[in-house]
Amino acid sequence: MPTDVERWKSETYGNEIREHLLEFAEQGWESIPEDERDAWFERFKWWGLYHQRAGQESYFMMRIGTPNGVLEPGQLHVVADIADEYARGPAENPEFGAAYCDWTTRQSIQLHWIRLEDVPEIFERLEANGLSTQQACGDSWRNVVGCPVAGKDRHEFVDALPVAMDLHETFKGNDDHTNLPRKWKVSVTGCREGCGQGDINDLAFEPAEKDGRRGFNVRVGGGLARNEPRLARDIDVFVEPDAVEAVAGGLSALFREYGDREDRYAARSKFLVDEWGADEVRRVLQAEFVDRELETAGEDLREEYTYNAGRVGSGTDDRPAGGHDDHPADGHGDRPAGGHNDHVGVHEQADGNYYVGVNVLVGRMGVEDVRELADLAAEYGSGEVRLTQRQNVLVTDVPESELDALLAEPLLEDYSPDPNPFMRGSIACTGTEFCSLSIVETKNRQVRYARWLAENVDLPADVSEFHVHLSGCTASCAQPQIADVSLRGMKTRKDGEPVEALDIGLGGGLGADPRFAEWVEQRVPADEVPGAIATLIDRFRERREDGEGFRAFIERTESEGDLETLIEPSETSYEDPYMHNTKTTWYPYADEDGMDASPAPARADGTPLAGDD
Amino acid sequence: MALSVRTLDDGAWVSVADERRTGASELWRVTGVCGCPIAEFVVEGVTDVAVDGRTVAAETYGRCITCGRSTTTGPIPVGRVLEGRYEPIDRNAVRRPVGASSTV
């Protein structure tokens, strides 16, 4: 029997939702019939609006899809202005203020506390500036991700940017692909370092060469959610750039026709690939969904992948003043000798200009900082900025002559291109602040973790990068399974009281030999996690072999059966203000945070609507 | 009038009459989901919900924080329909999966 969601989708879905959305917005929140709210909130996701959690009724998260993370000149100013004017709720966040922007792990933008009544004006302003929320959520093509310096990377194997942009243009608002069984995440990678993270996407195009022609190999069925992580499977197909659209459309149609619409928990493409196997996916794709003869896979570059790999990275700086170049050619054409683990730092582009990757702790910036960053991008670069899958921002197209002045700007003291490794490596999802699924508070906690670790823990001198990903639940939006230290929300009892806790995993990463973290310790009270990481680093320092990187150390320790000896939770000077059940608050940081004090739902002007709940 | 019950937001909520009533991250006391006499069960997600007589019961996945066992469950009561109105089960009640010898 079809699910309610499938029934709602069969009635109204895709582009046609918009006219209803705008009508409700015109008439106000209360105009949505009470017995239709579940259906409409589900549909609104397709237009990037996600109803915030209990206690925050009538407020929405708005996601803006920026393909490949590219914000063209001027667009960041628009986002800052919209966030400043519309993304203000009834309470402030103690770390980030009253209005802020989130950069997501899928190179998108999230704003919170959006009121339905403001949506038409926000849409108008976004769309007048080439931005959109279309298909940012819902059962459809999500934001297409890729290497954030596609088209600018001087070691790029194939220019993936036009391919990613073509997929965005073709499959956004495309009625044939509007209503899929579940979300459909696509990655296009053209660089040598694997920055598109294709392995964790439903559909991945990865750089490859066949008979002297450069293009992409195709993988299908990756994803991290619900304790069922999968790496995308190789379906033995090579495509040249001009054939990507046809094959992507074929695979999307295959998922549309054969994906599970009766059980949303088994609907993601990874389960279809589990059931069929890669060979059958290829056979059905060829037989039913593409006209051209599929070519067998070419030679890939996966052995060169370094991005988010947990291996030793190449540092942060290859500007001329640094006196060295971290990516010298090594005698194999344009192959870099050492790839990067992220995009933080100063790096030369193919055109001789530079991009400056600034670290945004947990991916959140207050609107004044966003506006100032947009100003700096316009003053020193082309005005373009790009978002990375590690929740950071790149200012691109900076001439060498402008680098020193940009790097001297005060804003870059807070958003550093050369940050402490714990600040640099921190990723966090939305958490109980707004999210319905999350079990624990995340962003503010990870900010506090990173600061404490930076002040109290020294990594070995030759380890410049260390990734700690905190995800509030098994949905894995912070990609916890591919970090050096993986943190996942749970609960436990401490001193007899239920408290927020985290599972701790170790040694995950992508790169040439991707692997998911091994969950080593469960239900560690959240205030004992920094102590556990401090002990872990001590033991890494004591027990590592010469020059051994963290991930290699974990793999060796695991093979010796000693992984559990690395984690020893303990209280330290770290203090955690979010140990109570933050999900039972209407907002975890409000002075009066109980559900009874919630000002939601509210009218357009923010005054509470009495008696709704 | 029959109340509509469904899961919402990919298992985050049990919705009753288009109102989010119970959901992920709650800590339930449940019998019969692990070896503990009474599990302290963190609901990580709701996979299905239905009305059985007067009882609204949800199938879930989650973990007992006493023994650490992760599991999926059969229907566990979350509320009752009394005179057409939904009454949630007390947060501290001991819940027994539907089909066991009795319910709360």
Side-chain angles (χ1 to χ4, degrees):
Chain A
M1 194 173 82
T3 62
D4 282 340
V5 174
E6 283 299 325
R7 182 168 53 81
W8 297 331
K9 286 160 59 181
S10 70
E11 293 167 359
T12 304
Y13 208 56
N15 291 310
E16 61 184 338
I17 297 167
R18 183 184 175 107
E19 63 180 283
H20 299 276
L21 172 60
L22 296 181
E23 191 174 328
F24 287 132
E26 181 72 28
Q27 296 177 17
W29 157 264
E30 292 171 280
S31 69
I32 307 173
E34 288 188 13
D35 62 353
E36 296 180 17
R37 286 183 179 174
D38 286 354
W40 285 113
F41 296 156
E42 185 64 38
R43 292 175 179 132
F44 289 173
K45 293 174 188 174
W46 200 90
W47 276 100
L49 289 164
Y50 212 112
H51 195 209
Q52 290 181 187
R53 71 167 173 85
Q56 302 169 2
E57 286 80 4
S58 78
Y59 291 96
F60 291 81
M61 179 274 283
M62 173 179 280
R63 188 179 294 155
I64 304 163
T66 40
N68 211 87
V70 177
L71 280 150
E72 294 169 358
Q75 289 182 334
L76 191 60
H77 276 117
V78 174
V79 171
D81 289 346
I82 288 173
D84 198 5
E85 187 166 348
Y86 300 107
R88 289 179 180 273
E92 290 193 14
N93 181 300
E95 298 288 349
F96 301 98
Y100 35 84
C101 300
D102 287 350
W103 321 127
T104 79
T105 52
R106 288 193 62 77
Q107 298 172 283
S108 296
I109 301 165
Q110 289 185 180
L111 309 178
H112 293 94
W113 297 120
I114 298 296
R115 294 187 177 95
L116 184 64
E117 294 83 354
D118 292 328
V119 167
E121 191 168 333
I122 296 173
F123 277 9
E124 192 173 317
R125 289 169 67 169
L126 287 172
E127 290 163 8
N129 291 279
L131 293 162
S132 174
T133 64
Q134 187 184 42
Q135 288 175 234
C137 314
D139 294 343
S140 60
W141 278 67
R142 300 293 188 84
N143 192 43
V144 177
V145 300
C147 171
V149 287
K152 296 184 187 292
D153 177 11
R154 68 190 175 108
H155 303 296
E156 190 167 52
F157 185 74
V158 56
D159 185 357
L161 191 62
V163 177
M165 292 302 181
D166 177 65
L167 292 179
H168 173 82
E169 292 297 326
T170 302
F171 294 104
K172 290 288 178 176
N174 183 323
D175 287 339
D176 289 339
H177 302 269
T178 285
N179 179 357
L180 300 180
R182 200 71 170 76
K183 64 181 80 169
W184 178 248
K185 295 179 174 178
V186 178
S187 166
V188 184
T189 304
C191 70
R192 296 169 176 275
E193 290 147 318
C195 305
Q197 301 198 131
D199 276 325
I200 57 171
N201 281 263
D202 292 287
L203 171 58
F205 293 94
E206 301 204 302
E209 185 167 6
K210 189 177 177 74
D211 304 330
R213 296 167 295 138
R214 292 187 175 192
F216 304 91
N217 283 349
V218 183
R219 289 178 180 248
V220 181
L224 297 176
R226 255 213 75 187
N227 287 333
E228 298 273 6
R230 299 285 190 282
L231 297 171
R233 271 61 58 95
D234 180 1
I235 63 166
D236 191 24
V237 170
F238 172 83
V239 287
E240 291 190 68
D242 64 0
V244 165
E245 182 185 314
V247 171
L251 284 162
S252 173
L254 182 153
F255 179 53
R256 180 192 66 213
E257 297 302 318
Y258 290 105
D260 190 334
R261 290 183 186 264
E262 298 195 352
D263 180 358
R264 291 184 64 74
Y265 303 94
R268 288 291 298 275
S269 72
K270 61 186 175 185
F271 298 114
L272 183 64
V273 181
D274 285 357
E275 182 184 342
W276 282 14
D279 290 348
E280 180 68 0
V281 172
R282 189 188 200 284
R283 188 193 68 76
V284 175
L285 173 68
Q286 179 71 82
E288 300 181 26
F289 295 102
V290 292
D291 294 328
R292 68 179 65 213
E293 189 70 23
L294 294 171
E295 293 188 71
T296 57
E299 184 179 350
D300 66 37
L301 280 68
R302 292 174 64 87
E303 287 298 315
E304 298 181 40
Y305 284 7
T306 56
Y307 186 77
N308 210 10
R311 306 295 184 193
V312 175
S314 66
T316 59
D317 197 342
D318 63 1
R319 61 187 153 139
H324 66 281
D325 185 338
D326 285 323
H327 292 221
D330 66 355
H332 297 281
D334 55 353
R335 179 187 297 179
H340 50 227
N341 204 18
D342 62 23
H343 293 88
V344 173
V346 181
H347 301 277
E348 189 176 0
Q349 299 176 181
D351 64 1
N353 287 323
Y354 287 77
Y355 71 86
V356 178
V358 301
N359 184 59
V360 182
L361 185 56
V362 303
R364 179 171 286 181
M365 294 179 75
V367 287
E368 290 306 321
D369 291 345
V370 176
R371 191 173 282 121
E372 189 171 344
L373 186 64
D375 289 343
L376 296 181
E379 181 177 352
Y380 296 107
S382 62
E384 179 195 77
V385 300
R386 296 192 178 189
L387 310 178
T388 82
Q389 293 186 53
R390 295 199 55 77
Q391 300 183 326
N392 295 319
V393 181
L394 315 182
V395 176
T396 59
D397 307 326
V398 181
E400 183 181 333
S401 59
E402 300 289 334
L403 271 179
D404 287 342
L406 171 58
L407 295 171
E409 287 285 347
L411 187 74
L412 270 62
E413 292 176 13
D414 292 331
Y415 303 93
S416 173
D418 188 16
N420 174 281
F422 290 113
M423 310 292 271
R424 176 177 187 159
S426 290
I427 285 182
C429 69
T430 297
T432 54
E433 183 179 9
F434 300 113
C435 177
S436 293
L437 271 169
S438 185
I439 297 170
V440 299
E441 203 282 339
T442 54
K443 281 200 187 289
N444 288 22
R445 174 170 282 137
Q446 183 67 21
V447 166
R448 298 172 72 90
Y449 281 177
R451 287 177 183 155
W452 188 90
L453 291 167
E455 288 173 9
N456 293 281
V457 177
D458 291 323
L459 284 161
D462 61 332
V463 178
S464 62
E465 298 182 38
F466 194 80
H467 293 174
V468 180
H469 296 189
L470 170 53
S471 213
C473 71
T474 59
S476 302
C477 298
Q479 302 170 351
Q481 299 96 330
I482 54 171
D484 295 311
V485 172
S486 314
L487 303 175
R488 184 177 62 194
M490 230 320 118
K491 291 181 191 294
T492 192
R493 277 195 185 272
K494 180 169 180 171
D495 302 327
E497 295 297 319
V499 297
E500 297 200 348
L502 299 169
D503 296 336
I504 300 179
L506 299 175
L510 295 180
D513 51 349
R515 60 168 256 164
F516 299 126
E518 188 70 22
W519 295 101
V520 177
E521 187 82 17
Q522 295 192 349
R523 307 187 307 284
V524 177
D527 61 345
E528 298 181 23
V529 168
I533 295 175
T535 306
L536 169 69
I537 300 302
D538 281 346
R539 290 175 184 166
F540 170 48
R541 186 186 299 102
E542 292 162 5
R543 302 180 189 178
R544 69 190 294 229
E545 295 177 349
D546 283 348
E548 189 176 38
F550 184 78
R551 188 170 151 195
F553 167 72
I554 293 298
E555 288 164 352
R556 181 174 58 79
T557 305
E558 184 180 19
S559 71
E560 294 166 356
D562 291 336
L563 216 48
E564 285 73 17
T565 67
L566 297 178
I567 298 290
E568 192 174 319
S570 61
E571 291 185 0
T572 59
S573 60
Y574 171 83
E575 294 181 357
D576 195 311
Y578 311 120
M579 293 296 285
H580 61 301
N581 187 348
T582 55
K583 196 67 167 290
T584 61
T585 67
W586 74 269
Y587 190 63
Y589 327 115
D591 291 337
E592 291 186 36
D593 65 2
M595 283 289 183
D596 292 346
S598 169
R603 296 184 181 85
D605 63 3
T607 56
L609 284 161
D612 191 274
D613 283 340
Chain B
M1 189 178 79
L3 292 179
S4 65
V5 297
R6 60 176 66 97
T7 63
L8 274 187
D9 294 347
D10 302 321
W13 300 104
V14 169
S15 170
V16 181
D18 281 60
E19 188 176 343
R20 301 178 290 192
R21 300 306 297 251
T22 191
S25 89
E26 290 187 8
L27 192 57
W28 294 349
R29 303 174 71 204
V30 193
T31 62
V33 296
C34 60
C36 298
I38 299 176
E40 287 204 277
F41 188 74
V42 174
V43 180
E44 295 187 79
V46 182
T47 55
D48 202 0
V49 62
V51 182
D52 181 1
R54 289 181 175 176
T55 303
V56 180
E59 297 178 25
T60 71
Y61 62 95
R63 195 191 308 173
C64 171
I65 63 170
T66 303
C67 69
R69 184 181 179 205
S70 289
T71 187
T72 56
T73 75
I76 294 176
V78 296
R80 285 179 170 171
V81 181
L82 300 173
E83 297 178 351
R85 291 176 57 85
Y86 176 79
E87 295 292 337
I89 283 174
D90 183 88
R91 199 172 281 270
N92 295 314
V94 176
R95 303 164 196 244
R96 194 180 305 272
V98 173
S101 55
S102 64
T103 57
V104 289

